[in-house]
Amino acid sequence: MDLPDFLTLWPKGEIVLTGHRIGLYSVIDLAERGCSPDEIREEFPTLDRDLIRKVIAFRESHRAEVDAYIAEYRADLDRQETAAVPSQPVLRIRRLLAERAASGQSSANS
């Protein structure tokens, strides 16, 4: 995929907005969830609205390539989540939450 100057391919294959550590995936994911450029800017205040619009327009003009990248990125996130082993404190919190749910307590009652 030929990238415009406002997108940069990092060495490990992630595409980011040039001059930022914000990924193409993050912006497109929010746009897919129905967020407007202004709402995306609320999430990422360092991004200029014009840049956000350019990113969304790039996706529209290169939909097949960008959608393939997004799908691959999501699959990688899913693989990482599946492979992650929760720490003992996380397991303890999950167990406590499950016990509360089973007994009918809410976290607001704590």
Side-chain angles (χ1 to χ4, degrees), residues 39-77:
E39 291 169 325
I40 294 170
R41 188 165 190 278
E42 287 176 17
E43 185 71 27
F44 301 112
T46 60
L47 297 181
D48 181 83
R49 284 178 188 84
D50 187 49
L51 176 58
I52 295 167
R53 288 185 191 98
K54 285 180 183 179
V55 170
I56 293 169
F58 176 77
R59 190 266 183 114
E60 292 305 314
S61 65
H62 295 79
R63 185 170 284 274
E65 293 170 298
V66 173
D67 285 356
Y69 171 79
I70 296 298
E72 184 178 323
Y73 198 100
R74 280 190 179 124
D76 190 44
L77 289 176

Side-chain angles (χ1 to χ4, degrees), residues 2-69:
D2 287 329
L3 297 177
D5 62 347
F6 56 85
L7 293 174
T8 301
L9 180 63
W10 276 0
K12 292 190 178 185
E14 184 173 7
I15 299 172
V16 298
L17 283 66
T18 303
H20 300 272
R21 289 186 278 172
I22 300 165
L24 172 65
Y25 173 83
S26 298
V27 174
I28 298 304
D29 183 58
L30 289 174
E32 285 180 344
R33 293 176 191 215
C35 293
S36 69
D38 287 335
E39 291 169 325
I40 294 170
R41 188 165 190 278
E42 287 176 17
E43 185 71 27
F44 301 112
T46 60
L47 297 181
D48 181 83
R49 284 178 188 84
D50 187 49
L51 176 58
I52 295 167
R53 288 185 191 98
K54 285 180 183 179
V55 170
I56 293 169
F58 176 77
R59 190 266 183 114
E60 292 305 314
S61 65
H62 295 79
R63 185 170 284 274
E65 293 170 298
V66 173
D67 285 356
Y69 171 79

Side-chain angles (χ1 to χ4, degrees), residues 96-97 99-110:
L96 291 171
L97 289 173
E99 288 172 1
R100 281 187 183 165
S103 70
Q105 290 183 338
S106 73
S107 58
N109 294 338
S110 310

